[in-house]
Amino acid sequence: MLAGRIGAGGACAGPLPSFCHGDTISVTILPAFRTTLAAFAAAALIGFAPAGAAEDFDLSPEQPGRVHATKNEAAIAAISKDFKFVTPGKFTVAVAPGGPPLATYATDAKTVVGADPDYASAVADALGLTLELVPVAWIDWPLGLTSGKYDAVISNVGVTEQRKEKFDFSTYRQGLHGFFVRTNSTIAAIREPKDAAGLRIIVGAGTNQERILVKWSDEDVKAGLRPIELQYYDDDAASLLALRSDRADVIVQPHAQLVYIAERDKNIKRVGTLSAGWPDRSDVAIATRKGSGLAAALTAATNGLIKDGTYARILDHWHLAEEALPQSETNPPGLPKF
């Protein structure tokens, strides 16, 4: 699993301190599916994770359903006169293709498609520019942005106080994790700690959602309820198999990932969402160089997209309406340093 903390919406936000698991929480660390179980796991996965894209998600390189935006003169006027685009007339944006529905390679294995590319395209439209999308490895975006290889990063980057020391942010989605269960589960909703008391929950080790669930379990125990049993697996395939085979009750991951898996596999469903900044909201944002003079324009562009409905159509297209923001903000409070 990931060794770094998962920030808003799943973006890696640096290491977490170690947690001491005492009497207040039950932790079950399950081994990876190794040689003796490999054949069983593969066979099971064929049954509930069919190859190919989910039916309601278009991963073609042509993207005929892409939502376009109109030019926003107010947003254009907000661009600092000192700001120089990497390529005149183009909005050069870095994106890390981590998987659908946010950003992934299309069926041609070279075109990047998804909610983040669509949003980047709409922002480029609003600024009267042509989008130049640059696929990058997640670990490379901070250095590439600082060195001026691209104008912005639109790749599910969560706002953190540490990142704000080096970058400016214009928010465009809520950072959510999702609670998903089997479609035949009797669990109806998970909204607060008491709803998760005693449940077997799959979570990534060292992630932000683990940190939150440890706190939830502590609250449950203090209230006289059963602790949460956290389960850890080496990969998504093993996690989904454990959920399907009733060895776990719930899986918690970045919301967007599970939305796609639920549509693809047809055997899990959402019963709740969790802010990455719980108990506060934590947002996903466009990242730009600190003090570059572009952030205000990107915030204005996003608010224009929200106002005219373009923003909602993009999120609806990728089944992410739950992650909508009421308005974009420049450099809002982010996840604190841990």
Side-chain angles (χ1 to χ4, degrees):
M1 300 300 294
L2 296 177
R5 174 162 56 85
I6 299 298
C12 192
L16 275 175
S18 298
F19 289 109
C20 296
H21 302 288
D23 295 335
T24 59
I25 185 166
S26 171
V27 178
T28 304
I29 300 178
L30 302 178
F33 280 54
R34 306 199 190 282
T35 306
T36 56
L37 292 179
F40 171 72
L45 285 171
I46 291 172
F48 71 92
E55 293 177 1
D56 284 356
F57 291 87
D58 176 21
L59 301 183
S60 70
E62 296 81 11
Q63 291 296 292
R66 173 166 284 170
V67 178
H68 292 281
T70 58
K71 189 180 293 186
N72 184 328
E73 298 296 345
I76 295 170
I79 301 171
S80 170
K81 292 180 173 57
D82 296 327
F83 183 82
K84 303 297 182 185
F85 287 95
V86 172
T87 301
K90 292 187 176 182
F91 183 38
T92 304
V93 175
V95 61
L102 296 181
T104 190
Y105 284 105
T107 52
D108 65 355
K110 62 181 181 180
T111 305
V112 182
V113 299
D116 280 346
D118 277 11
Y119 172 69
S121 175
V123 171
D125 290 343
L127 297 180
L129 301 169
T130 300
L131 177 65
E132 182 75 21
L133 207 59
V134 182
V136 299
W138 169 262
I139 197 172
D140 292 337
W141 76 257
L143 180 59
L145 183 57
T146 302
S147 63
K149 287 185 177 180
Y150 19 85
D151 304 311
V153 176
I154 300 180
S155 194
N156 203 44
V157 178
V159 181
T160 72
E161 290 304 308
Q162 185 171 1
R163 286 178 178 157
K164 282 166 62 178
E165 294 174 0
K166 294 184 178 180
F167 306 103
D168 286 328
F169 291 97
S170 300
T171 59
Y172 68 96
R173 272 200 347 264
Q174 291 187 61
L176 295 182
H177 302 308
F179 291 103
F180 279 67
V181 300
R182 295 180 302 281
T183 51
N184 63 351
S185 173
T186 59
I187 299 170
I190 299 177
R191 300 186 182 92
E192 55 186 324
K194 68 180 180 63
D195 298 331
L199 296 181
R200 302 167 297 170
I201 300 182
I202 298 169
V203 68
T207 60
N208 194 42
Q209 53 265 40
E210 180 198 39
R211 175 184 64 83
I212 294 169
L213 289 175
V214 167
K215 291 183 177 179
W216 276 33
S217 188
D218 288 343
E219 288 193 15
D220 286 338
V221 171
K222 289 177 182 177
L225 302 173
R226 293 172 58 195
I228 297 170
E229 179 185 306
L230 298 184
Q231 296 186 359
Y232 303 87
Y233 292 85
D234 282 352
D235 56 49
D236 286 345
S239 297
L240 292 169
L241 180 58
L243 185 65
R244 178 170 173 85
S245 60
D246 198 25
R247 285 181 288 121
D249 302 307
V250 185
I251 186 170
V252 178
Q253 283 185 358
H255 175 257
Q257 296 174 4
L258 291 173
V259 165
Y260 180 82
I261 291 170
E263 171 59 30
R264 182 194 68 192
D265 297 350
K266 309 294 186 183
N267 55 31
I268 63 173
K269 63 181 180 180
R270 180 179 55 235
V271 292
T273 57
L274 173 69
S275 172
W278 182 90
D280 300 315
R281 198 180 77 199
S282 181
D283 295 337
V284 171
I286 307 173
T288 52
R289 291 184 294 280
K290 191 73 176 178
S292 68
L294 188 58
L298 297 177
T299 300
T302 298
N303 281 324
L305 297 174
I306 292 172
K307 185 176 181 179
D308 70 15
T310 302
Y311 173 81
R313 289 196 296 274
I314 293 171
L315 292 186
D316 286 343
H317 182 68
W318 294 101
H319 297 224
L320 297 176
E322 291 78 13
E323 301 190 6
L325 287 175
Q327 66 176 12
S328 176
E329 298 179 83
T330 302
N331 293 329
L335 289 176
K337 297 179 182 179
F338 292 100

